[in-house]
């Protein structure tokens, strides 16, 4: 079971999907496109535990983290 974790000002929400389920996979890809289109940064975890930024949906990722871009000034 793969997980998409969305961080925002209210905390985090988790969305689980089965990569073998075509509908679940399509929903996950749509969520990816929607969030990154809104300006969220997407990252996956490497084998060493570090985060790796991704620019396109990776259906093989075990966990994808989405966090809003920080705005400084």
């Amino acid at each position: 079971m793969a997980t998409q974790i969305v961080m925002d000002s209210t905390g985090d929400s988790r969305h689980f999907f089965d990569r073998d389920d075509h509908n679940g996979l399509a929903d996950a890809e749509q969520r990816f496109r929607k969030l990154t289109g809104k300006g969220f940064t997407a990252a996956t975890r490497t084998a060493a535990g570090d985060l790796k930024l991704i620019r396109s949906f990776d259906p093989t990722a075990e966990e994808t983290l989405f966090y809003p871009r920080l705005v400084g000034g």
Side-chain angles (χ1 to χ4, degrees):
M1 185 80 48
T3 309
Q4 290 178 319
I5 303 169
V6 182
M7 307 292 293
D8 62 19
S9 62
T10 63
D12 69 89
S13 57
R14 294 169 188 259
H15 305 272
F16 302 97
F17 64 97
D18 182 353
R19 291 181 294 234
D20 295 326
D21 173 26
H22 295 293
N23 290 333
L25 194 60
D27 289 344
E29 184 170 7
Q30 181 179 11
R31 186 177 302 111
F32 182 96
R33 292 176 190 272
K34 179 180 175 184
L35 290 167
T36 56
K38 286 183 173 181
F40 279 76
T41 299
T44 58
R45 207 169 291 284
T46 66
D50 300 320
L51 289 178
K52 175 186 168 193
L53 295 181
I54 58 173
R55 304 276 185 237
S56 59
F57 179 68
D58 179 0
T60 65
E62 195 65 35
E63 179 181 276
T64 304
L65 175 67
F66 297 91
Y67 54 95
R69 292 194 180 124
L70 299 177
V71 177

